[in-house]
Amino acid sequence: MRVFFALLCSLAFISSALAHDYKVGQIHVDHPWTKATPAGARVAGGYMKITNQGDQVEKLLSAQTDISERTEIHEMAVVNGQMTMREVAGGLVIKPGETLELKPGSFHMMFMGLKKNPAEGESFKGKLVFEKAGALEVEYKGEAMGQKPQGHHH
Ligand SMILES: [Cu+2]
């Protein structure tokens, strides 16, 4: 029985070490991550889940990281029948009670002018700035490269 509990405790410890989430004001940010990119890549995408637990509209105004010269907040849009991405104008809106997932093929962060290529298993620091909640320091985790390269039409 004792062994069983010890095992349970260590499993709980491992899963809490893997999950990472952050909170500022009424904003909850879950699991910021990036897809590992090959050496030489100039851009990388950043993803996470943002939940607005408040009763007012919140906006993600800007973001930055230690590994990029600048970071843009992008959305996907169809232009002339082709899927392209563009910068979100005026900040990314998160409605009260909404969980917005930044993920490949949808809203995402774009790390531009990479100073370092994020590798699988590595993490790096970043900062998110919300209109009402203010600044939040987060850590992005590098996860395995996907099978197909991301389409970039900048
Ligand atoms: Cu993009």
Side-chain angles (χ1 to χ4, degrees), residues 89-109:
L92 183 61
V93 173
I94 309 128
K95 296 186 199 102
E98 184 187 29
T99 296
L100 192 66
E101 184 170 13
L102 284 72
K103 60 186 178 190
S106 181
F107 291 110
H108 59 277
M109 305 276 177

Side-chain angles (χ1 to χ4, degrees), residues 72 74-76 85-86 108-110 112 152 154:
E72 294 180 357
H74 281 185
E75 62 183 335
M76 305 299 290
M85 59 172 110
R86 64 183 177 201
H108 59 277
M109 305 276 177
M110 201 94 235
M112 324 274 291
H152 285 121
H154 281 290

